[in-house]
Amino acid sequence: MILWLWLCCGFSAAMGQPDSELMARYLEEKLMADYSVMEQVVRRVPRQTRFLQRLETRPRMSEFTVKSTIISRYAFTTVSCTMVNSGSEAREGVFEMQIPAAAFISNFTMSIGNKTYYGEVTGKEKKHSSDDKEKVKKPPSPLNGRENGYETFKASVFIPRKMQANFLLHYEELLQRRLGKYEYMVSIRPQQLVGRLRVEVNILENSGIISLEVPPLRNSKHKGNGKVEGDVSPPPSTVIGQTKTLAKVTFSPNIVEQTKIARNGILGDFIVRYDVNRELSIGDVQILNGYFVHYFAPTDLPPLPKNVVFVLDSSASMVGTKLRQTKEALFTILQSLRPEDHFNIIGFSNRIKVWQQDRLVPVTPNNIRDAKKYIHNMSPTGGTNINSALQTGAKLLNDYIAQNNIDARSVSLIIFLTDGRPTVGETQSSKILSNTKDAIRDKFCLFTIGIGNDVDYKLLERMALENCGMMRHFQEDEDAASHLKGFYDEIGTPLLSDIRIDYPEDHVEEVTQNFFPNYFNGSEIIIAGKIINHTSDSLHVEVTASNSKKYILLKTDVAIDLPSRNDIRSVPGLEDGKGDQNYIERAWSYLTIKELLNSRLKSNDNQEKEYLTEKAKSMALTYNFVTPFTFLKMREAGLHSEPPQEELISPSTDGIGEKLQSLQGHRAPPGLRRQQDKQRIKISKTSADGDPHFVIDFPSNKFSVCFNIDGEPGDILRLVSDHKESGVTVNGQLIGAPAPPNGHKKHRTYFNTITILSNKPERSYLEITPTRIILDDGERLILSCGRSAVVRSSSLEVSISANSNITVTIRDTISFVILIHHYKKPAPYQKDHLGFYISNSKGLSSDSHGLLGQFLNHEVKLLQESLNKTHHPAGQNQTEALKPNPMNTLKVKGRLVPVVWKQRKIYNGQQEVDCWFAKNNADKLIDGSYKDYLASHPFDTGISSGMINSL
């Protein structure tokens, strides 16, 4: 938006516009003299006296400061500017500021002499008139005033002689994550050298700040930006301070340093980039005073395969730089396609040219080479038939999806690039939008790119919004090729599809968008809402998504009331906060208004549009945001008002850190959650747990057998070995701990890693520790044991109950349960460890082996030994009578094994098991000896072990 505010304080004059270069040179000398730096940079004052008089009509900017406070990605920015009119008559002062196009202005205040004017956010009527003191000029198109993601705010006032004017502008924005970083930008273009110029950015991220960087000033439109080729250092005078959760960045160049950057006062964009710490899972839920915001940005996921059609404008208007840079970008993009992707290219002008007819081709060296030749030979000619180009691309992609057995979780998309408006074929925007939506039918997403000043911005933006895509607009400058490549990098690595995030309906309301067709690497999904259940002490969160061959279900409970974790009252830059603004509530209002505006843009129903307009206007008025349906109306605050003070709009930081909690997780298709909730974990007694203690249950005999294994730390034990038949192997690795006082053992051992391998129908493995699970079936996925989750593929399901247990189900016929043992205050002889339980062994073959596996399909007989002479089979109801006898015998595969009666506790001590105990490391009970069950590494399947095979 371009906002012109004309306040005429008893004066009216039209001033000439001097040559900008001479003006800059003169003001430079004037300011340098004022600040006693004349001896450092000497300039000769121009001699044209009449021209100097004209130069002096421009008020001098004595101060330009920007202060930003970013709290959990939500940025409050205050721009303060002071202009001094040292002339003998009133002069016009122009305050101009480029702000991010995604930001909302929340306040604007001016003081001229002893008068103060404040901006009141007012709703626009269908036809509103301008008053005497204010004129609002609506730009003829959204591109006017919009440059590389900025819009221009402009206020013009007449400053009485020998007086000054103060301007104070406030705006807010929610930072978006792109390519793995949040980027905060401040435009520093005061149009003249400034005596006191300062930018201060304060960041508070409770989850921890990482990768903080301040690149050189960015200014692609003007020369003299001070950037040396290859230079990546911060701008001169930049100071960076950082702790774990807080950062402060300042930029305060003096006159000399400003001159070295740009003599005309157009320094460029000051940029701060950073990311936050993320745990093994996927989210950060923050709750404050009845509102919540959920940031979802999973990492360590394998990319999904893509089916992509590039639709490129090759009309006559693309001649020269635009087509050359498009080709350069496409050459780089083609090289970044992955082997599992498929693609095609369509060039369009007044004719449509398809590179590969009726198909998408796989990514191979030959296909990439041929595609580059096709792009290289594209020549600009003819008009612009946008409608036919999109229809052709949509049909090509739809036919490929329908006729080929593509992966159901692959991501299909069209990337459409043009520099103009439709001139051939269908040229009516509404028809093109309707035709495109009908052709795509919600089956894939459309991403649009506009280059230059002649594009139909609204058409491209709406096409993308209506078809789950994004739109980018780039100027025709030297960075266009890198912009194109950067945009592709944002969408070139899809990690998840069909993401749905749910909260209990009776706990929340007015939740923003919670279904997303795709999640791209380096981006972030943000959901916010109101909490209506104020009696609950937690918020339940569930996330469902698809990842390559797996469905993912994540669920957790987030505490609503948490003790304070950060005291920020003494943090520089945050200590003056006196407002009562809830940054999470404002983030929710920001997101809600943005979604209402997008919904209105997509709607074709006038009644619905009116409803969305009124709702967006009402929220904007409530939260004091300037939107397309509200505007700033300047009102006089009265005589002798105090000048505006910066601290009046400082966001409240009360309680920050008190109600923030990280949450991580993954999720699956609807219905899977309810099915899982109904299932209760069924665990048999057959297990290896504790030090480690082994239990074998024989249900048909109605008794159990137990034994101990005294291994060495680092030993890897084969627990189940059935690689040849069912394809399943389970190994457990031991860690050591000191023996308890007065114990008979020299040390203790526990399982701290359980490895489960399966090679049927396809190879996959799980590596489980007390803190994390690594699942690899050709694509690696890392999950936290501290977050409940379900991951399901075609033959494998992993269900995590947070900090309790993990259930692994293979082909619905084999189930293992791994218990997680955590000690809050462990003794020296206690270590966090795992317990392994066999829940379902139906899918294991009769030839399965291992310390536990060898007993799953074999009978064991219990014999009573009398004076070591005769043996009598013990019937099933004789077990109780045998308890007192210290000497009983098991018959295992013809071997006689002496056993004694014992009691064992399993399931974290919750259940007691009566069992017959075999001493001496299960001598004669197990086939071979203990050493025969040692694996060489965690993924050893034992197929080369002669002993195991012979057994």
Side-chain angles (χ1 to χ4, degrees):
M1 90 204 75
I2 300 182
L3 180 59
W4 287 86
L5 302 174
W6 296 83
L7 295 183
C8 306
C9 303
F11 296 93
S12 63
M15 303 303 170
Q17 297 299 318
D19 178 84
S20 61
E21 177 63 23
L22 288 176
M23 176 185 282
R25 289 176 60 190
Y26 172 74
L27 291 177
E28 175 187 333
E29 296 165 7
K30 186 84 172 171
L31 287 169
M32 286 178 181
D34 289 345
Y35 287 87
S36 302
V37 294
M38 199 64 164
E39 68 280 1
Q40 298 181 38
V41 180
V42 179
R43 299 288 182 188
R44 182 176 178 181
V45 178
R47 294 180 177 177
Q48 298 91 336
T49 306
R50 186 177 299 176
F51 186 54
L52 289 179
Q53 292 174 346
R54 292 175 62 195
L55 284 174
E56 291 177 351
T57 63
R58 184 180 186 185
R60 176 170 58 86
M61 188 178 293
S62 62
E63 180 179 356
F64 180 86
T65 63
V66 179
K67 184 174 181 180
S68 173
T69 302
I70 302 170
I71 309 175
S72 295
R73 293 80 146 171
Y74 195 76
F76 298 84
T77 301
T78 301
V79 182
S80 176
C81 175
T82 300
M83 290 185 181
V84 178
N85 178 15
S86 56
S88 58
E89 59 181 8
R91 306 298 183 192
E92 182 185 23
V94 178
F95 169 68
E96 184 174 319
M97 182 70 188
Q98 288 188 347
I99 67 172
F104 286 145
I105 292 173
S106 56
N107 205 349
F108 178 63
T109 311
M110 299 184 299
S111 67
I112 303 105
N114 59 357
K115 292 186 178 182
T116 297
Y117 302 86
Y118 67 93
E120 181 182 283
V121 177
T122 307
K124 288 183 181 179
E125 302 298 332
K126 291 184 178 179
K127 291 183 179 180
H128 63 274
S129 60
S130 302
D131 58 33
D132 294 337
K133 291 186 178 181
E134 176 184 344
K135 295 180 182 179
V136 178
K137 293 186 178 180
K138 184 176 179 181
S141 81
L143 285 182
N144 285 1
R146 182 189 294 264
E147 179 181 324
N148 293 333
Y150 282 114
E151 291 179 341
T152 302
F153 177 92
K154 197 168 187 177
S156 176
V157 299
F158 282 90
I159 306 173
R161 66 186 186 88
K162 307 299 181 183
M163 299 189 76
Q164 69 179 27
N166 298 309
F167 304 89
L168 199 60
L169 174 68
H170 313 288
Y171 61 87
E172 302 173 22
E173 61 181 313
L174 184 60
L175 301 185
Q176 300 297 309
R177 188 169 183 258
R178 293 178 180 170
L179 302 177
K181 294 283 185 69
Y182 302 101
E183 183 171 279
Y184 175 76
M185 292 189 299
V186 175
S187 175
I188 308 176
R189 293 172 169 83
Q191 310 294 325
Q192 57 178 282
L193 300 175
V194 183
R196 184 173 182 267
L197 191 154
R198 179 180 173 85
V199 177
E200 179 181 319
V201 181
N202 297 285
I203 305 171
L204 170 61
E205 293 287 353
N206 202 66
S207 53
I209 300 170
I210 60 172
S211 306
L212 178 66
E213 64 180 27
V214 182
L217 291 171
R218 182 166 66 194
N219 191 338
S220 60
K221 304 289 281 185
H222 301 278
K223 303 298 182 183
N225 61 2
K227 181 177 178 180
V228 181
E229 189 68 27
D231 182 21
V232 294
S233 58
S237 79
T238 300
V239 178
I240 303 173
Q242 181 181 357
T243 65
K244 181 180 179 182
T245 59
L246 296 149
K248 182 175 183 178
V249 180
T250 60
F251 172 61
S252 51
N254 58 33
I255 294 289
V256 175
E257 290 169 326
Q258 292 177 48
T259 305
K260 291 179 180 178
I261 297 171
R263 297 176 182 175
N264 58 5
I266 301 176
L267 277 64
D269 299 328
F270 183 77
I271 300 169
V272 178
R273 296 191 187 108
Y274 72 95
D275 200 12
V276 298
N277 274 315
R278 303 178 198 280
E279 297 180 13
L280 295 177
S281 270
I282 59 158
D284 179 9
V285 173
Q286 302 180 12
I287 300 170
L288 182 63
N289 298 337
Y291 291 84
F292 76 90
V293 62
H294 182 182
Y295 299 101
F296 177 91
T299 56
D300 296 320
L301 296 173
L304 299 174
K306 296 190 301 294
N307 310 305
V308 56
V309 176
F310 299 96
V311 183
L312 310 175
D313 189 343
S314 60
S315 61
S317 60
M318 287 286 288
V319 68
T321 303
K322 286 183 280 192
L323 187 58
R324 175 180 58 79
Q325 293 188 341
T326 299
K327 290 180 178 182
E328 289 176 5
L330 260 293
F331 290 159
T332 307
I333 289 170
L334 289 174
Q335 286 299 131
S336 65
L337 291 173
R338 297 180 177 84
E340 63 271 19
D341 296 340
H342 291 75
F343 73 105
N344 203 341
I345 302 167
I346 295 174
F348 74 95
S349 53
N350 56 328
R351 295 192 305 165
I352 313 301
K353 299 177 183 178
V354 181
W355 172 49
Q356 297 288 338
Q357 290 293 331
D358 303 324
R359 63 181 182 139
L360 269 67
V361 299
V363 175
T364 64
N366 288 341
N367 285 337
I368 296 297
R369 179 200 63 203
D370 293 344
K372 287 183 176 180
K373 288 181 181 178
Y374 175 80
I375 293 171
H376 176 75
N377 292 328
M378 289 176 64
S379 57
T381 181
T384 307
N385 194 338
I386 289 178
N387 184 72
S388 293
L390 287 170
Q391 293 296 303
T392 303
K395 183 178 186 305
L396 183 67
L397 199 47
N398 273 316
D399 290 348
Y400 175 76
I401 294 172
Q403 297 170 10
N404 293 273
N405 185 25
I406 67 168
D407 191 319
R409 284 169 292 279
S410 63
V411 173
S412 300
L413 49 95
I414 291 177
I415 297 178
F416 176 83
L417 181 147
T418 184
D419 75 326
R421 301 168 180 267
T423 60
V424 177
E426 182 59 69
T427 58
Q428 189 174 340
S429 293
S430 60
K431 288 286 186 67
I432 295 174
L433 288 167
S434 175
N435 293 341
T436 302
K437 192 167 181 62
D438 290 343
I440 291 177
R441 302 194 299 273
D442 296 326
K443 290 189 176 180
F444 45 85
C445 297
L446 170 65
F447 297 85
T448 60
I449 302 170
I451 301 180
N453 292 322
D454 298 326
V455 297
D456 189 335
Y457 186 96
K458 283 189 174 180
L459 174 62
L460 296 185
E461 183 181 39
R462 186 168 173 183
M463 279 198 305
L465 284 174
E466 288 187 351
N467 297 283
C468 71
M470 295 185 291
M471 184 266 183
R472 290 286 186 273
H473 173 250
F474 306 124
Q475 295 294 333
E476 182 186 357
D477 58 25
E478 63 270 19
D479 287 333
S482 62
H483 287 323
L484 290 173
K485 178 60 172 61
F487 179 55
Y488 175 79
D489 288 343
E490 289 185 48
I491 63 175
T493 309
L495 300 183
L496 292 173
S497 59
D498 301 330
I499 306 103
R500 184 178 179 87
I501 302 178
D502 290 310
Y503 315 88
E505 292 182 358
D506 58 346
H507 280 60
V508 299
E509 66 178 5
E510 297 188 54
V511 177
T512 58
Q513 178 184 348
N514 69 333
F515 177 80
F516 304 86
N518 299 300
Y519 166 73
F520 297 100
N521 187 40
S523 65
E524 185 170 62
I525 289 172
I526 307 175
I527 310 97
K530 288 183 178 180
I531 295 177
I532 56 175
N533 187 339
H534 298 292
T535 60
S536 176
D537 58 359
S538 65
L539 175 66
H540 187 71
V541 183
E542 293 195 356
V543 182
T544 305
S546 297
N547 164 248
S548 187
K549 301 176 182 178
K550 294 179 280 291
Y551 292 106
I552 299 171
L553 169 65
L554 300 159
K555 48 189 176 181
T556 194
D557 292 315
V558 183
I560 291 178
D561 294 310
L562 298 173
S564 177
R565 296 195 292 167
N566 281 334
D567 181 3
I568 63 165
R569 288 172 293 182
S570 61
V571 176
L574 299 181
E575 69 275 7
D576 293 332
K578 297 178 182 177
D580 59 355
Q581 301 184 67
N582 179 345
Y583 70 97
I584 292 182
E585 180 182 357
R586 295 192 74 80
W588 165 77
S589 65
Y590 175 96
L591 283 173
T592 301
I593 293 172
K594 288 289 185 183
E595 289 183 4
L596 289 169
L597 296 178
N598 287 339
S599 296
R600 183 187 182 279
L601 183 62
K602 293 188 291 184
S603 176
N604 292 315
D605 184 273
N606 289 333
Q607 188 174 355
E608 182 186 30
K609 276 191 172 184
E610 184 65 25
Y611 167 76
L612 294 169
T613 299
E614 291 304 315
K615 190 171 181 180
K617 184 194 297 184
S618 175
M619 283 200 71
L621 292 173
T622 300
Y623 290 94
N624 221 57
F625 286 149
V626 176
T627 69
F629 310 118
T630 55
F631 68 100
L632 278 175
K633 187 170 186 177
M634 301 307 296
R635 297 187 181 278
E636 186 174 347
L639 296 177
H640 308 295
S641 298
E642 291 294 324
Q645 299 296 317
E646 201 168 320
E647 70 234 29
L648 291 177
I649 54 81
S650 295
S652 170
T653 55
D654 294 339
I656 293 176
E658 295 180 5
K659 297 181 176 66
L660 307 183
Q661 172 159 350
S662 294
L663 119 93
Q664 327 287 340
H666 294 322
R667 183 183 185 183
L672 177 60
R673 172 178 59 85
R674 290 184 287 274
Q675 176 184 350
Q676 290 294 326
D677 290 343
K678 291 180 180 179
Q679 295 178 351
R680 297 182 63 87
I681 297 174
K682 180 182 177 182
I683 310 177
S684 76
K685 299 174 186 177
T686 302
S687 60
D689 206 344
D691 186 16
H693 303 316
F694 289 74
V695 176
I696 314 293
D697 188 36
F698 295 96
S700 60
N701 297 93
K702 294 188 177 179
F703 64 77
S704 300
V705 177
C706 50
F707 60 93
N708 293 345
I709 291 293
D710 295 327
E712 295 294 328
D715 283 355
I716 301 170
L717 308 185
R718 302 184 197 278
L719 303 179
V720 177
S721 183
D722 194 29
H723 189 75
K724 285 188 175 181
E725 300 299 329
S726 67
V728 174
T729 300
V730 182
N731 296 327
Q733 185 165 13
L734 300 175
I735 58 168
N742 304 319
H744 64 281
K745 294 185 176 182
K746 61 180 180 179
H747 58 247
R748 282 188 165 189
T749 54
Y750 303 94
F751 288 117
N752 85 317
T753 303
I754 299 290
T755 307
I756 302 173
L757 302 97
S758 174
N759 69 342
K760 293 182 180 180
E762 54 194 15
R763 183 185 179 280
S764 60
Y765 77 81
L766 278 162
E767 184 179 298
I768 302 168
T769 71
T771 58
R772 72 175 188 177
I773 301 118
I774 298 176
L775 168 60
D776 194 325
D777 56 359
E779 297 169 340
R780 187 179 176 91
L781 179 66
I782 302 177
L783 301 168
S784 169
C785 292
R787 308 294 177 186
S788 296
V790 176
V791 179
R792 171 179 284 180
S793 64
S794 58
S795 60
L796 180 69
E797 181 180 300
V798 180
S799 178
I800 306 169
S801 178
N803 296 317
S804 177
N805 61 73
I806 300 109
T807 302
V808 179
T809 304
I810 302 172
R811 300 188 296 274
D812 294 325
T813 59
I814 303 170
S815 294
F816 304 126
V817 177
I818 294 90
L819 295 190
I820 304 170
H821 300 278
H822 282 297
Y823 297 97
K824 291 183 179 179
K825 295 181 179 179
Y829 54 86
Q830 293 174 321
K831 297 285 186 181
D832 289 350
H833 64 279
L834 304 173
F836 175 74
Y837 293 75
I838 298 177
S839 176
N840 182 2
S841 60
K842 290 180 181 178
L844 295 172
S845 74
S846 57
D847 293 329
S848 64
H849 211 270
L851 287 169
L852 293 175
Q854 61 186 296
F855 299 106
L856 298 177
N857 293 289
H858 292 283
E859 290 298 320
V860 175
K861 292 183 179 180
L862 178 64
L863 308 174
Q864 181 177 2
E865 184 172 289
S866 178
L867 302 176
N868 293 324
K869 291 182 180 179
T870 58
H871 300 285
H872 305 281
Q876 294 178 2
N877 43 4
Q878 293 178 293
T879 305
E880 294 296 324
L882 293 172
K883 288 182 185 179
N885 194 327
M887 293 295 292
N888 284 282
T889 305
L890 291 178
K891 187 174 182 180
V892 181
K893 298 181 183 179
R895 302 187 297 269
L896 299 180
V897 184
V899 293
V900 295
W901 189 258
K902 268 200 172 186
Q903 288 187 326
R904 278 271 162 84
K905 289 184 177 181
I906 58 175
Y907 306 159
N908 280 324
Q910 297 177 12
Q911 184 171 340
E912 205 165 57
V913 177
D914 295 330
C915 61
W916 293 104
F917 179 72
K919 298 181 179 181
N920 302 323
N921 256 15
D923 184 37
K924 296 183 181 179
L925 176 67
I926 60 175
D927 297 331
S929 66
Y930 165 77
K931 291 184 178 180
D932 297 326
Y933 295 87
L934 295 179
S936 59
H937 54 80
F939 308 104
D940 186 357
T941 59
I943 57 175
S944 61
S945 171
M947 173 61 74
I948 294 297
N949 288 334
S950 65
L951 294 174

